[in-house]
């Protein structure tokens, strides 16, 4: 029982720095900050294709597996949208059952850049 609680607590979230440092290494697509995106749009180098996309990543055994699953979903949506890069606007782990299982929800914008 103690080991199960340990694994559940380890797999429930990551800090913003951990997500920001890890997610770009897991996607094929380029992550841009909101500031970078706005500057690129102002100069005409980029445009938004989709704003506010929400994606629930398949549940992984660890937070890194959750993030890997989320990265795969981001890459697939960018391919479908015909864009690259993306701006991560929000993320959170949501508890989905009484056992404390969490699922990663990502929100992002798709851009098309020259």
């Amino acid at each position: 029982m103690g080991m199960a609680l340990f694994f559940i607590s380890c797999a429930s979230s990551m800090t913003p720095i951990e997500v920001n440092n890890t997610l770009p290494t897991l996607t094929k697509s380029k992550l841009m900050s909101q500031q970078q995106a706005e500057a690129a749009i102002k100069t005409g180098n980029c445009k938004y294709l989709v704003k506010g996309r929400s994606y629930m990543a398949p549940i992984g055994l660890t937070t890194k597996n959750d993030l890997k699953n989320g990265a795969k979903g981001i890459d697939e949506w960018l391919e479908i949208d015909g864009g690259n890069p993306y701006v991560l606007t929000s993320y959170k782990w949501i508890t989905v059952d009484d056992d404390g299982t969490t699922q990663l929800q990502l929100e992002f914008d798709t851009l098309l850049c020259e």
Side-chain angles (χ1 to χ4, degrees), residues 30-53 77-78 81-90 107-114:
K30 181 182 179 201
L31 171 64
M32 289 180 89
S33 71
Q34 188 70 47
Q35 295 81 4
Q36 290 170 321
E38 294 303 325
I41 288 166
K42 269 187 180 176
T43 62
N45 291 330
C46 296
K47 67 178 181 175
Y48 283 107
L49 294 177
V50 178
K51 288 189 86 170
R53 168 131 15 245
W77 274 115
L78 265 68
D81 294 339
N84 192 344
Y86 66 99
V87 175
L88 182 65
T89 57
S90 176
E107 293 185 14
F108 59 95
D109 300 332
T110 301
L111 290 93
L112 179 61
C113 298
E114 294 177 357

Side-chain angles (χ1 to χ4, degrees), residues 13 27 29 32 35 38 41 46 51-53 55 62-64 69-70 77 82 94 103:
S13 66
T27 60
S29 308
M32 289 180 89
Q35 295 81 4
E38 294 303 325
I41 288 166
C46 296
K51 288 189 86 170
R53 168 131 15 245
Y55 179 70
T62 66
T63 53
K64 185 155 184 185
N69 294 339
W77 274 115
I94 299 169
Q103 186 171 14

Side-chain angles (χ1 to χ4, degrees), residues 14-26 31 67:
M14 292 176 106
T15 68
I17 292 293
E18 289 173 318
V19 171
N20 193 57
N21 289 341
T22 305
L23 186 60
T25 68
L26 301 173
L31 171 64
L67 213 51

